[in-house]
């Protein structure tokens, strides 16, 4: 049996008003058309729902039972329609957000807080990815959106850059360069390198400074699987590692010194998503991230210019 939602709404209106004229006015339909729809509904159901006299309209026992059912059906339908509408507008749903260690650094929390405040019915599922997947789940569709560090071998990604973070050379505390205020790229090229283990050769070449080596290949001292492992290996004196300046703030280590690198382009942190698949939810998040980035100028300044920090203790920790 196919009972239309229109007939259900017509019946509920008559049942609540117990008056065809008032129900017709409430529904903005002609009374004759309303009466016809109710008769057809009763015919489809094979039950009399309303008892009519010249003076009154009242529900039959079958009508009272069907009124409860009709209200439940319409409530479910209306809720489903509203949920669908809100999902289409990016006001609800689930957003799978991938990130590498550090995500967007100090911008991460205000971005997530602003998004949650603006879209409270969107559930953001956060997932951290290791060095083995610098594309942060965008290559295989695990992530809808991701904080990633460029470059990556995965090319079918659309991106919006957020900021560029300078890099440092992480060296053992007793290393010859540990006391330097900065180090030039050329001074680092003979150092044994600790680098992430990944199949993404584009990403790996960036972090081993291959663009500055010419035909000379990096001396790989050790491959690591995580940032904490990387720091532990450096502190053990196995080799040096190119890292972002934020490592000094977020993962200080007594056995490691972070020396700013001169003449290196820095690390671009961007929001990325599968090419051509910028959903409404992704669009909402990207816009919030850009709004927060543009508003939080002090945070961006700390990230992009950490060596100019006014706090001497902050400068000492970085250098």
């Amino acid at each position: 049996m196919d009972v239309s939602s229109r007939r259900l709404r017509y019946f509920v209106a008559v049942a609540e008003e117990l008056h065809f004229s008032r129900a017709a006015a409430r529904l903005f339909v002609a009374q004759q058309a309303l009466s016809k729809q109710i008769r057809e509904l009763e015919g489809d159901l094979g039950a009399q729902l309303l008892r009519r006299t010249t003076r009154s309209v009242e529900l039959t026992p079958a009508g009272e039972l069907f009124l409860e059912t009709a209200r439940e059906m319409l409530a479910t339908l209306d809720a489903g329609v509203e949920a669908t509408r809100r999902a289409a507008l990016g006001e609800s749903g689930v957003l799978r957000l991938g990130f590498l260690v550090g995500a967007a650094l100090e911008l991460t929390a205000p971005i997530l807080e602003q998004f949650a405040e603006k879209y409270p019915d969107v559930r953001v599922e956060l997932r951290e990815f290791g060095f083995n997947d610098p594309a942060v789940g965008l290559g295989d569709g695990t992530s809808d959106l991701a904080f990633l560090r460029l470059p990556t071998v995965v090319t079918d990604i659309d991106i919006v850059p957020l900021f560029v973070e300078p890099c440092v050379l992480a060296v053992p505390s007793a290393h010859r360069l540990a006391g330097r205020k900065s180090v030039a790229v050329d001074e680092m090229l003979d150092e044994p390198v600790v680098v992430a283990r990944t199949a993404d050769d584009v990403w790996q070449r960036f972090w081993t400074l291959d663009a500055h080596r010419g035909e000379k290949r990096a001396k790989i001292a050790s491959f690591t699987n995580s940032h904490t492992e990387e720091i532990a290996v450096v502190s053990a004196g196995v080799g040096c590692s190119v890292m972002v300046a934020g490592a000094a703030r977020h993962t200080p280590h007594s056995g490691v010194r972070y020396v700013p690198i001169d003449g290196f382009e820095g690390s671009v942190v961007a929001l990325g998503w599968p090419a051509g698949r910028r959903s409404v939810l992704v669009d909402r998040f990207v816009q919030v991230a850009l709004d927060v980035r543009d508003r939080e100028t002090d945070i961006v300044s700390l990230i992009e210019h950490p060596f100019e920090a006014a706090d001497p203790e902050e400068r000492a920790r970085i250098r």
Side-chain angles (χ1 to χ4, degrees), residues 265-283:
E265 57 268 39
S267 172
V268 177
V269 172
L271 277 170
W273 59 92
R277 292 168 54 190
R278 182 165 171 167
S279 67
V280 179
L281 271 182
V282 167
D283 190 65

Side-chain angles (χ1 to χ4, degrees), residues 177 179-184 187-188 258-262 307 319:
L177 298 174
R180 294 278 295 274
K181 291 185 177 181
S182 65
V183 58
E187 297 178 89
M188 303 160 43
Y258 300 93
V259 185
I261 302 174
D262 295 328
F307 313 128
R319 295 177 179 174

Side-chain angles (χ1 to χ4, degrees), residues 2-11 14 20 27 29-45 49-50 52 66:
D2 183 15
V3 178
S4 70
S5 62
R6 182 178 63 177
R7 287 181 177 174
L8 292 179
R9 295 189 194 281
Y10 283 5
F11 168 70
V14 175
F20 273 85
L27 296 166
V29 298
Q31 182 176 337
Q32 184 178 3
L34 176 59
S35 297
K36 181 175 181 293
Q37 292 292 324
I38 297 298
R39 287 196 302 271
E40 291 178 353
L41 175 62
E42 290 176 321
D44 289 341
L45 294 173
L49 303 176
L50 299 166
R52 310 160 180 83
F66 190 68

Side-chain angles (χ1 to χ4, degrees), residues 209-274:
L209 309 176
D210 272 18
H212 300 266
R213 294 181 182 276
E215 297 181 359
K216 193 173 184 179
R217 302 295 294 175
K219 300 176 183 176
I220 306 296
S222 178
F223 291 101
T224 58
N225 298 301
S226 69
H227 178 60
T228 53
E229 182 180 339
E230 197 172 32
I231 291 175
V233 172
V234 170
S235 70
V238 175
C240 305
S241 181
V242 177
M243 298 182 184
V244 293
R249 300 192 300 277
H250 298 286
T251 51
H253 192 288
S254 60
V256 176
R257 296 293 179 268
Y258 300 93
V259 185
I261 302 174
D262 295 328
F264 188 57
E265 57 268 39
S267 172
V268 177
V269 172
L271 277 170
W273 59 92

Side-chain angles (χ1 to χ4, degrees), residues 35-285:
S35 297
K36 181 175 181 293
Q37 292 292 324
I38 297 298
R39 287 196 302 271
E40 291 178 353
L41 175 62
E42 290 176 321
D44 289 341
L45 294 173
Q48 184 181 2
L49 303 176
L50 299 166
R51 188 177 296 112
R52 310 160 180 83
T53 70
T54 56
R55 295 184 178 181
S56 66
V57 177
E58 59 184 33
L59 287 166
T60 66
E64 291 178 355
L65 178 63
F66 190 68
L67 176 60
E68 182 179 348
T69 300
R71 282 172 170 164
E72 291 176 355
M73 293 172 66
L74 289 172
T76 300
L77 176 61
D78 290 343
V81 170
E82 177 63 12
T84 300
R85 184 193 68 81
R86 297 190 67 197
L89 292 174
E91 297 175 355
S92 65
V94 177
L95 181 66
R96 300 173 300 165
L97 179 63
F99 63 97
L100 290 172
V101 58
L105 301 174
E106 288 87 352
L107 271 181
T108 308
I111 288 173
L112 292 175
E113 289 167 2
Q114 179 69 32
F115 188 78
E117 180 179 335
K118 195 166 185 179
Y119 303 104
D121 294 326
V122 176
R123 187 172 80 253
V124 179
E125 293 184 349
L126 295 165
R127 178 181 172 185
E128 182 177 2
F129 288 76
F131 288 156
N132 63 318
D133 185 7
V136 202
L138 297 178
D140 62 7
T142 306
S143 299
D144 302 315
L145 179 70
F147 289 112
L148 69 160
R149 289 186 178 272
L150 303 177
T152 173
V153 73
V154 180
T155 56
D156 54 345
I157 294 175
D158 291 333
I159 63 164
V160 170
L162 294 177
F163 54 81
V164 180
E165 184 181 15
C167 291
V168 296
L169 182 66
V171 299
S173 56
H175 192 274
R176 64 182 181 86
L177 298 174
R180 294 278 295 274
K181 291 185 177 181
S182 65
V183 58
V185 172
D186 291 346
E187 297 178 89
M188 303 160 43
L189 299 183
D190 289 329
E191 294 292 333
V193 178
V194 176
V195 68
R197 178 180 288 107
T198 175
D200 190 333
D201 59 338
V202 171
W203 200 74
Q204 192 172 85
R205 286 200 301 269
F206 177 84
W207 294 102
T208 54
L209 309 176
D210 272 18
H212 300 266
R213 294 181 182 276
E215 297 181 359
K216 193 173 184 179
R217 302 295 294 175
K219 300 176 183 176
I220 306 296
S222 178
F223 291 101
T224 58
N225 298 301
S226 69
H227 178 60
T228 53
E229 182 180 339
E230 197 172 32
I231 291 175
V233 172
V234 170
S235 70
V238 175
C240 305
S241 181
V242 177
M243 298 182 184
V244 293
R249 300 192 300 277
H250 298 286
T251 51
H253 192 288
S254 60
V256 176
R257 296 293 179 268
Y258 300 93
V259 185
I261 302 174
D262 295 328
F264 188 57
E265 57 268 39
S267 172
V268 177
V269 172
L271 277 170
W273 59 92
R277 292 168 54 190
R278 182 165 171 167
S279 67
V280 179
L281 271 182
V282 167
D283 190 65
R284 299 286 195 209
F285 192 94

